[in-house]
Amino acid sequence: MANTEASFVRTEMVAPQEPPLSERGVVKWVRENLFSGPLNTILTVLALVSLFYLVKLSLPWWLHGVWKANSLGECRQIIADAYGPDATGACWAMIRERWHQFIFGFYPPEMYWRPILSFGLLFVALAPALFFGDRRNNLVILAGVALFLLLSLWALDNDLLHIALIMMMMAGFVALVLIAPRKLLWFTLIYPALAQFLLWGGSVWGPVLTMLGLAVLAVVYVVLQPRFGVVMASAMGFVAACVWWLALQSSVSTALYTLMPIGLEALDSDQFGGFLLAFVIGVSSISAALPIGILLALGRRSDMLLIKTLSVTIIEFVRGVPLITMLFTASLLLQYFLPPRTNFDLILRVVILVTVFSAAYIAEVIRGGLAALPRGQFEAADALGLDYWQAQRLITMPQALKISIPGIVTTFIGLFKDTTLVTFVGLAEPLRGITSIVRADIDWKGIYWEPYIFVGAIFFLCCFSISRYSMYLEHKLKTDHR
Amino acid sequence: MAYVADAPKASFRPSMLIYDTRYRSITIQVIVLLLAVLFVGWLADNTIQNLAAKDKDINFSFLWNRAGYDLDQQLIPYTNDSTHGRAAMVGLLNTLAVAFLGCIFSTILGVFIGVLRLSKNWLVSRLMTVYIEMFRNVPLLLWIIMVFVIFSEIAPAPKDFKVTDEMIAAGELPKASMMFMDSVAVTNRGTNIPMPLVEHPLGYVNLGFATANLTVVALFALIGASIYANRRVARHARAVQEATGDRPTIWWKSLLILFAPSIFFLWALGFHLEYPELKGFNFKGGLNVAHSFTALLLALVLYYGAVIAETVRSGIIAISNGQSEAAFALGLRPGRTMRLVILPQALRVIIPPLISQFLSLTKDTSLGIGVSYLDLRGTLGGITLNQTGRELECMLLMMLIYLLISLLISFVMNIYNHSVKLKER
């Protein structure tokens, strides 16, 4: 074979050539992605034309934005002076002057550190749940929170002593995470009382003793559980805790407060507003709704006819009516359903009803998670001789919750967006409450794009980042090998 | 298995109510029932006490009293002399109108955008992603209020449409002009659109609880009959195709059957459009659609369009690539592949979430409160409630009606879901 030398057979390899111009680089990309066929070409041209018009219409408005003015009229004057009488421009000066109302409502400015601190600590409390004891991620979260607290407290002119104290607390958390990341869960447990104390102020003993009620529940449960089983023990614990909360707590708390008057200045719920209110309602409702939702989901899958019927009725009723009717129930009807002369805070009433509302949705999400588990899991738990609650706690729920986390997060996003509806029962949420207050001001009358864009942008940031986090979580928790 | 029969038939002891799984479930159910009854009784007792303290009773007779307020959008005849019940009915129809139109338009928009987001065109798919994320992640209420504010603040006043002789002489154009060949005028007071009218209406018939417009009824009956006849023709064509292998050409028959009767019917009755015209300071004639309706509908469609687009996209993605490759291998064109292979399978994934989105859309029509749209909540749960002071009755009735609507929608859609579901075993 070696000596057959035909003149038409090449003996050396041809040097590789670059692909033709239309098959490489930008040209190829544009051809393939933008102009690959007549339909695509039309679509691209249409998209470009509409983009062009959008930019042409709105770009001057964005570019001519004014940040320093005292009223809308002044804004318009500045824009007219600078860019001619027909020029349009954004008047961001309104945001500059009123941003604190959009964020904090009517919270006293010198106490802004309280909501900020509770917001920061919220992430510390969430960290163990968000990242499952992953030390590195927890540290990243803690560092982020510390940086956020430092910057925002410094920007709000808090004195150095307070900042230093808060930073020492953060350092304590970092140390805790480094030594025993799982122990951070205890902070998660006490966070609700802490946040309530920070936000509303008042005597420190109220929240402390409320947490003590939970401790009573835990002690009774631990003592009685071996004898009476989970349901009876937790019921008795609940009764004991109720006795503590309703009968004893207030007198003990008053006595302690006269002995040791520790506390922060008490604030009224009227002073809450803006995104602070949205976060308070959203976070407290969703965290209270989670256990109720789990119980409802279990009830809906129960073999016991009565419990199943009850759960289905509650879930379907709540899911069948709009949230707004639930809110009106909170503001108009709850006074009929509760004992005469009970009157409590509107925010609390709204939180209760929103909790019921989201519990039904969460129940459906968790039911989906339970339904996705293979039957073998339930049977294996039975075969191991676990009782119902052990099986739920050790086998079923960890898997079902894992599957339903994206759904729970979606529910939370929906709920967070729906907190805007509390405006209709008279709470000053950012979108309509605060915006209408601002627009009623003589200085800012007639302003409409800017407040809505500002509020919308903050909502977008929150919801978008939460949904991205949920996607990350879904990816991370996917342990099956499909 | 003998030992099963040997299980001790011990006599019943009270402790078995707690320790024996056979009896424990009964114990738990009895306790729960007792607690539930106690709770409901407690609520009822409180309610009775509270009502007594306020000198009120539970009484629905106010529904037959004179309402005394006007509604700006009414699909059935209503004046301020009508009853509260009638007002609630008008409100319910307004709710249903927005919900119905919203479901249809948002589905169309959603499918369109969902498919475009999957397009191979980089620019278009990015634009659609931006659209979807922008609308999904911002509260619906913001879109409703924003659309409303834009309509009522930016739209020109009716006087801006005026063309005077001096302006013609000077060659000036009016500040604003009507759209779509002088048929639609968007002003700051509302949107004026042409109104379909017939010269020789068939009249009304009183059914006792409602009056039926015979013209509309006849038209719908005719359209239904046309659709039925068309299906007969298509079925016949299919039978012929299966028997002989040749499909008869039927598209012109279909067109004729579908459209000719209705067009002839409308022509015979003298169908025409009444265009809005500027008379004096406002538009007269035609149909004036309030901005509250437009804003609510538009915002719902844009928002739920984005939500449905995501559903559609995930449904299409869920169909494995092998399906479309197999269809291409069989020689089907892309359009037919989509229609015959992908969509029927994707529908199964899409429909269950779509049902819940329709339900949410229907419930979210109650956000019309943000722009004072007089729907069920605006009439029964708003003005009527405030006028009569009967919070309990109004709220309960309103919740019940919303609940019924929701159950009805999920019932109907579940039937449809059942019909497209994969039939296995």
Side-chain angles (χ1 to χ4, degrees):
Chain A
M1 294 289 273
N3 53 7
T4 45
E5 276 192 21
S7 57
F8 51 85
V9 176
R10 236 188 236 281
T11 51
E12 74 279 5
M13 296 295 283
V14 180
Q17 280 186 345
E18 277 200 16
L21 195 62
S22 60
E23 283 299 320
R24 67 183 142 105
V26 184
V27 179
K28 179 180 187 224
W29 185 88
V30 167
R31 260 168 60 107
E32 280 187 353
N33 289 299
L34 297 180
F35 301 102
S36 62
L39 181 70
N40 257 345
T41 311
I42 295 172
L43 281 177
T44 307
V45 170
L46 276 181
L48 282 177
V49 168
S50 42
L51 257 186
F52 172 73
Y53 273 100
L54 208 66
V55 168
K56 192 186 160 201
L57 278 177
S58 66
L59 197 63
W61 188 82
W62 290 98
L63 288 180
H64 298 169
V66 173
W67 281 95
K68 281 183 186 167
N70 290 320
S71 70
L72 187 60
E74 209 179 310
C75 266
R76 293 200 172 138
Q77 191 58 46
I78 294 173
I79 293 164
D81 288 347
Y83 307 102
D86 285 336
T88 54
C91 183
W92 302 116
M94 188 276 298
I95 307 289
R96 186 190 161 89
E97 201 184 290
R98 296 299 190 99
W99 66 270
H100 54 92
Q101 278 193 346
F102 280 102
I103 307 289
F104 299 107
F106 307 102
Y107 216 84
E110 69 277 9
M111 295 177 200
Y112 281 169
W113 65 272
R114 282 157 59 169
I116 288 178
L117 184 59
S118 8
F119 183 72
L121 290 183
L122 170 67
F123 288 93
V124 179
L126 281 177
L130 289 181
F131 294 107
F132 302 99
D134 182 322
R135 193 170 292 178
R136 207 179 70 92
N137 281 339
N138 277 342
L139 283 179
V140 169
I141 285 244
L142 283 179
V145 169
L147 192 68
F148 162 77
L149 287 176
L150 190 67
L151 286 178
S152 47
L153 292 177
W154 178 69
L156 286 167
D157 294 333
N158 281 279
D159 59 81
L160 282 174
L161 180 65
H162 281 102
I163 297 182
L165 278 176
I166 288 169
M167 285 304 120
M168 274 164 67
M169 188 178 68
M170 291 307 297
F173 282 127
V174 171
L176 186 64
V177 167
L178 285 176
I179 299 162
R182 297 266 163 187
K183 289 283 186 294
L184 206 58
L185 263 176
W186 289 103
F187 179 72
T188 312
L189 210 60
I190 62 165
Y191 176 76
L194 180 68
Q196 196 266 337
F197 171 63
L198 275 176
L199 289 172
W200 272 271
S203 152
V204 75
W205 299 112
V208 167
L209 294 177
T210 311
M211 291 318 279
L212 214 58
L214 284 184
V216 168
L217 198 159
V219 167
V220 172
Y221 176 81
V222 168
V223 170
L224 295 184
Q225 196 259 336
R227 266 187 71 81
F228 295 102
V230 173
V231 177
M232 289 304 283
S234 44
M236 286 180 191
F238 186 68
V239 170
C242 280
V243 169
W244 166 258
W245 283 324
L246 297 175
L248 300 172
Q249 191 191 332
S250 61
S251 46
V252 175
S253 141
T254 329
L256 274 174
Y257 192 67
T258 41
L259 280 176
M260 286 177 278
I262 310 172
L264 290 168
E265 191 180 324
L267 285 171
D268 208 33
S269 280
D270 293 349
Q271 288 164 299
F272 284 65
F275 281 97
L276 170 61
L277 185 70
F279 268 102
V280 166
I281 294 177
V283 172
S284 48
S285 302
I286 208 82
S287 41
L290 207 55
I292 306 177
I294 291 177
L295 286 183
L296 278 176
L298 287 178
R300 193 166 183 169
R301 286 178 62 90
S302 162
D303 297 330
M304 295 182 246
L305 184 69
L306 188 77
I307 290 182
K308 186 175 178 169
T309 322
L310 214 60
S311 310
V312 171
T313 316
I314 295 175
I315 293 173
E316 291 305 323
F317 174 77
V318 171
R319 279 163 46 91
V321 298
L323 175 59
I324 221 165
T325 58
M326 299 291 274
L327 293 175
F328 277 110
T329 307
S331 76
L332 294 174
L333 293 195
L334 220 52
Q335 48 164 337
Y336 286 106
F337 294 147
L338 294 175
R341 285 179 300 284
T342 7
N343 188 17
F344 54 92
D345 194 59
L346 182 58
I347 293 188
L348 185 57
R349 276 186 278 165
V350 164
V351 166
I352 291 175
L353 265 292
V354 175
T355 302
V356 173
F357 185 78
S358 35
Y361 283 81
I362 292 214
E364 283 299 272
V365 170
I366 291 175
R367 185 170 74 110
L370 283 170
L373 287 190
R375 239 194 115 60
Q377 296 291 328
F378 299 92
E379 289 165 355
D382 286 345
L384 282 175
L386 300 179
D387 71 16
Y388 181 76
W389 293 104
Q390 282 174 327
Q392 298 302 342
R393 192 163 53 87
L394 299 172
I395 309 276
T396 331
M397 268 305 149
Q399 299 182 62
L401 283 180
K402 194 179 85 177
I403 300 173
S404 28
I405 280 179
I408 294 173
V409 174
T410 315
T411 315
F412 175 70
I413 295 178
L415 185 76
F416 183 60
K417 286 187 292 180
D418 279 348
T419 54
T420 48
L421 302 194
V422 300
T423 178
F424 299 117
V425 293
L427 292 174
E429 53 71 57
L431 173 55
R432 192 164 167 274
I434 300 287
T435 303
S436 56
I437 291 169
V438 168
R439 291 183 63 202
D441 188 333
I442 190 81
D443 284 343
W444 307 110
K445 209 171 172 56
I447 197 164
Y448 43 91
W449 285 108
E450 293 86 349
Y452 292 126
I453 288 177
F454 178 63
V455 173
I458 295 184
F459 267 113
F460 179 83
L461 270 182
C462 296
C463 297
F464 188 69
S465 49
I466 300 172
S467 74
R468 284 297 128 137
Y469 165 73
S470 138
M471 280 161 75
Y472 154 81
L473 211 57
E474 207 174 336
H475 182 71
K476 185 183 163 77
L477 291 178
K478 209 171 180 179
T479 44
D480 56 353
H481 303 287
R482 268 188 289 171
Chain B
M1 299 302 268
Y3 56 87
V4 173
D6 292 340
K9 286 222 163 87
S11 58
F12 178 77
R13 293 183 314 273
S15 64
M16 284 166 78
L17 281 178
I18 294 177
Y19 293 115
D20 193 319
T21 43
R22 283 170 298 177
Y23 302 109
R24 188 161 55 191
S25 72
I26 298 175
T27 322
I28 294 175
Q29 293 193 58
V30 168
I31 292 175
V32 168
L33 182 66
L34 277 179
L35 285 179
V37 167
L38 271 179
F39 181 69
V40 172
W42 181 70
L43 288 185
D45 180 56
N46 285 334
T47 312
I48 291 167
Q49 278 189 37
N50 282 315
L51 284 173
K54 291 190 176 176
D55 231 5
K56 283 183 177 176
D57 56 345
I58 297 185
N59 190 342
F60 284 93
S61 63
F62 68 93
L63 285 176
W64 283 268
N65 295 346
R66 181 176 178 275
Y69 57 88
D70 286 310
L71 298 174
D72 57 354
Q73 180 189 324
Q74 51 217 36
L75 300 178
I76 51 174
Y78 170 89
T79 62
N80 56 18
D81 275 335
S82 307
T83 59
H84 281 298
R86 184 90 179 167
M89 197 61 148
V90 175
L92 174 62
L93 285 177
N94 286 348
T95 295
L96 290 178
V98 171
F100 181 69
L101 293 176
C103 285
I104 291 178
F105 289 134
S106 60
T107 311
I108 296 171
L109 185 72
V111 171
F112 193 65
I113 292 189
V115 171
L116 277 188
R117 192 179 168 184
L118 285 175
S119 142
K120 286 201 190 76
N121 190 322
W122 182 86
L123 185 66
V124 171
S125 71
R126 286 310 130 100
L127 276 182
M128 292 305 139
T129 312
V130 169
Y131 169 84
I132 290 175
E133 295 298 342
M134 196 171 98
F135 274 86
R136 274 198 330 160
N137 287 312
V138 170
L140 172 60
L141 188 64
L142 184 127
W143 297 119
I144 295 176
I145 295 181
M146 199 148 146
V147 173
F148 183 75
V149 167
I150 289 170
F151 264 109
S152 44
E153 301 255 352
I154 295 184
K159 66 173 175 10
D160 291 340
F161 288 84
K162 184 159 274 180
V163 186
T164 53
D165 290 338
E166 296 104 68
M167 285 169 82
I168 295 173
E172 258 182 76
L173 286 174
K175 277 191 212 155
S177 54
M178 292 168 75
M179 292 185 286
F180 303 118
M181 301 195 298
D182 276 359
S183 62
V184 174
V186 181
T187 73
N188 56 4
R189 294 191 200 172
T191 308
N192 297 283
I193 57 169
M195 173 133 86
L197 283 179
V198 285
E199 262 169 46
H200 321 288
L202 295 178
Y204 294 87
V205 65
N206 199 344
L207 298 174
F209 60 93
T211 19
N213 187 338
L214 273 184
T215 320
V216 176
V217 172
L219 185 63
F220 275 111
L222 205 60
I223 291 174
S226 305
I227 291 174
Y228 177 71
N230 181 42
R231 287 178 80 163
R232 287 293 296 269
V233 169
R235 201 178 305 155
H236 174 72
R238 203 173 305 132
V240 170
Q241 184 181 18
E242 271 169 20
T244 65
D246 282 326
R247 189 178 175 82
T249 321
I250 57 156
W251 61 267
W252 58 272
K253 276 191 218 166
S254 285
L255 276 185
L256 210 62
I257 291 173
L258 277 179
F259 295 105
S262 311
I263 292 172
F264 178 75
F265 174 74
L266 288 175
W267 176 78
L269 292 183
F271 177 82
H272 60 97
L273 289 173
E274 189 190 55
Y275 290 100
E277 270 177 69
L278 187 64
K279 290 210 176 112
F281 292 107
N282 210 346
F283 279 91
K284 295 271 156 49
L287 201 62
N288 187 322
V289 183
H291 280 327
S292 54
F293 175 82
T294 327
L296 183 60
L297 182 62
L298 200 60
L300 280 172
V301 167
L302 290 175
Y303 181 87
Y304 277 97
V307 177
I308 290 175
E310 272 301 272
T311 315
V312 170
R313 186 181 76 104
S314 60
I316 294 177
I317 286 180
I319 306 306
S320 81
N321 244 342
Q323 294 289 330
S324 46
E325 282 164 7
F328 290 147
L330 285 176
L332 293 180
R333 293 168 154 278
R336 293 199 121 190
T337 306
M338 197 66 180
R339 193 161 56 86
L340 298 175
V341 178
I342 307 289
L343 270 189
Q345 299 185 68
L347 272 185
R348 284 187 205 119
V349 186
I350 293 171
I351 289 199
L354 197 64
I355 297 175
S356 59
Q357 273 139 28
F358 283 170
L359 284 175
S360 327
L361 191 151
T362 310
K363 284 184 286 174
D364 276 345
T365 55
S366 59
L367 295 194
I369 182 179
V371 290
S372 310
Y373 179 64
L374 287 173
D375 60 348
L376 183 65
R377 204 227 52 86
T379 55
L380 180 66
I383 306 178
T384 297
L385 186 148
N386 288 335
Q387 278 190 5
T388 57
R390 296 199 170 269
E391 296 107 347
L392 206 61
E393 293 91 333
C394 286
M395 291 294 298
L396 288 181
L397 201 59
M398 189 168 82
M399 283 182 153
L400 201 69
I401 293 176
Y402 273 119
L403 194 62
L404 280 180
I405 299 176
S406 299
L407 292 179
L408 203 68
I409 292 178
S410 59
F411 178 70
V412 171
M413 293 301 289
N414 277 329
I415 291 178
Y416 181 62
N417 186 21
H418 199 72
S419 73
V420 296
K421 211 165 77 178
L422 196 61
K423 313 276 190 303
E424 47 183 349
R425 275 174 288 173

